[in-house]
Amino acid sequence: MKDAQVTRKKLKVAVLLSGTGRTLDNFHSEIGASRLHAEIVAVASSSSRAKGVEKAKQYGYPVFASDEKNQRELSRQINEFILPRHPDVIVLAGFLKLFFMPEGFEGQVLNIHPALIPSFCGKGFYGMKVHRAVVDSGVKVTGCTVHFVSPIYDEGPIFLQECVPVRAGDTPEDVAARVFELECRLYPKALNLLADGRVKLSDNKVWIEE
Ligand code: GRF
């Protein structure tokens, strides 16, 4: 048995969302299939009308939703809800607000962006806007990026990145579907690496131990 398997633990995860909760669905089914070594201890939403809130309730996760417009106050409320549940990591899963992480959580907050950072990212690049810009630009590959969160949108050390092709005649919807399929594999992979204790952050870069 490899060392990584010996040290593997169940990662306690808090999931933050704003929309449909497709990433929450993926985590839920990956945990159910024992491919993701994690436990969802809390779900928080920046919108009380988000579909993801209903899904979280159906799945039986503790859920908090707030329509607070002030992003700092919203983060404060979210942190107040999730911290007593002792998450090891906070995972942004389609969370469209700026998140002010709790003190001491550097290197424990993750986001996934549906493009290859530093391209097609930053303020205004979310959802289909990203994939439309990708198709309009004529690039031949796109992909997704799991990164640690810093105070700037879509910045912070890159953790994992993988590519998918952009093919002649692809619509933004085609690209979005291909990228999301990749996300469903890459985000759980990142969390499993954390659960295995194989991730080192140094000099603002991420190193994965083989
Ligand atoms: C994902 O595509 C991810 O890249 C981005 O948000 C999307 C999931 O959000 N960060 P949703 O569940 O469709 O609202």
Side-chain angles (χ1 to χ4, degrees):
M1 195 185 261
K2 282 188 200 156
D3 280 353
Q5 284 168 309
V6 174
T7 55
R8 179 167 269 182
K9 65 164 188 168
K10 237 187 199 180
L11 208 64
K12 290 185 179 177
V13 177
V15 177
L16 272 49
L17 54 82
S18 303
T20 63
R22 291 180 303 154
T23 302
L24 178 70
D25 291 333
N26 180 49
F27 289 162
H28 182 76
S29 62
E30 289 296 290
I31 290 169
S34 303
R35 284 189 293 265
L36 172 54
H37 306 279
E39 177 193 351
I40 295 174
V41 295
V43 176
S45 170
S46 66
S47 164
S48 56
R49 292 171 307 283
K51 226 172 163 180
V53 174
E54 280 319 303
K55 287 180 178 171
K57 283 182 190 161
Q58 279 167 18
Y59 292 144
Y61 299 131
V63 58
F64 168 79
S66 169
D67 295 313
E68 172 62 52
K69 292 287 168 273
N70 180 298
Q71 306 198 86
R72 206 173 273 279
E73 171 58 17
L74 174 69
S75 292
R76 193 198 63 72
Q77 293 177 8
I78 288 175
N79 290 332
E80 191 175 83
F81 176 73
I82 64 177
L83 290 183
R85 292 166 170 87
H86 306 292
D88 298 307
V89 285
I90 301 171
V91 174
L92 309 193
F95 187 73
L96 297 177
K97 304 283 183 185
L98 195 59
F99 177 60
F100 295 87
M101 69 179 76
E103 227 178 271
F105 261 74
E106 290 77 15
Q108 289 167 260
V109 186
L110 290 177
N111 184 37
I112 192 160
H113 182 70
L116 297 171
I117 289 176
S119 294
F120 306 107
C121 64
K123 209 164 168 31
F125 276 108
Y126 61 89
M128 287 307 295
K129 287 176 198 265
V130 175
H131 306 297
R132 268 183 224 118
V134 162
V135 169
D136 286 349
S137 74
V139 292
K140 304 300 178 224
V141 290
T142 184
C144 64
T145 306
V146 179
H147 65 96
F148 287 100
V149 168
S150 76
I152 302 171
Y153 278 111
D154 297 336
E155 285 197 14
I158 291 171
F159 182 170
L160 291 178
Q161 258 180 338
E162 279 188 30
C163 300
V164 290
V166 181
R167 301 196 180 103
D170 269 349
T171 63
E173 287 73 18
D174 295 330
V175 174
R178 206 171 294 140
V179 169
F180 191 70
E181 209 180 295
L182 177 61
E183 286 186 32
C184 288
R185 206 166 40 74
L186 210 63
Y187 224 171
K189 181 177 172 181
L191 293 176
N192 282 335
L193 285 167
L194 283 173
D196 288 347
R198 288 171 57 192
V199 184
K200 296 278 169 285
L201 248 176
S202 115
D203 197 19
N204 223 32
K205 292 187 181 61
V206 179
W207 304 102
I208 296 163
E209 290 176 353
E210 294 302 325

